[in-house]
Amino acid sequence: MAEQMNIADELLTSMEQAVGIAEGTVKPGRIWTPPEINVADIRKRTGLSQVRFAARYGFSAAAVRDWEQKRRTPEKAARTLLMLIDKEPQAVERVLVGA
């Protein structure tokens, strides 16, 4: 059985890996970037207005408007959530209401 590392050793190993990644000597484990998405299409499929869509999913109405008008692009985390809303809206609803 492998010996367990203590938290200090784990942190030191993680920091060494981070430095290696930053220097380009270590490849990161996995990098995933969500694709560009059409926020207006996703919102329209929900049947919600911009204001209601924003309120339901925790976005600001201004952000939804700016995304739809292509003045801003959603950050990676927002694009990931938007993809989930598009593909699995019921699952997102369950999570958000704590069910």
Side-chain angles (χ1 to χ4, degrees):
M1 182 180 279
E3 183 179 321
Q4 279 191 312
M5 295 177 83
N6 68 38
I7 189 72
D9 290 337
E10 288 182 38
L11 290 171
L12 182 58
T13 299
S14 295
M15 290 303 296
E16 289 169 350
Q17 290 172 345
V19 169
I21 291 168
E23 292 174 343
T25 59
V26 175
K27 289 187 177 184
R30 179 176 179 223
I31 297 175
W32 180 77
T33 301
E36 295 299 317
I37 56 173
N38 188 316
V39 178
D41 285 349
I42 294 169
R43 180 188 57 78
K44 288 173 185 173
R45 281 193 287 276
T46 68
L48 299 170
S49 68
Q50 288 179 344
V51 171
R52 291 186 129 181
F53 182 84
R56 178 167 291 171
Y57 296 111
F59 304 120
S60 73
V64 172
R65 183 183 58 248
D66 287 349
W67 295 337
E68 289 189 10
Q69 294 176 356
K70 309 288 187 207
R71 288 194 298 243
R72 290 178 44 207
T73 301
E75 298 290 330
K76 289 180 182 181
R79 288 198 315 264
T80 301
L81 177 54
L82 288 160
M83 289 173 61
L84 287 168
I85 292 166
D86 190 32
K87 301 295 182 195
E88 297 290 339
Q90 295 84 11
V92 174
E93 291 286 329
R94 285 193 307 273
V95 170
L96 293 178
V97 297

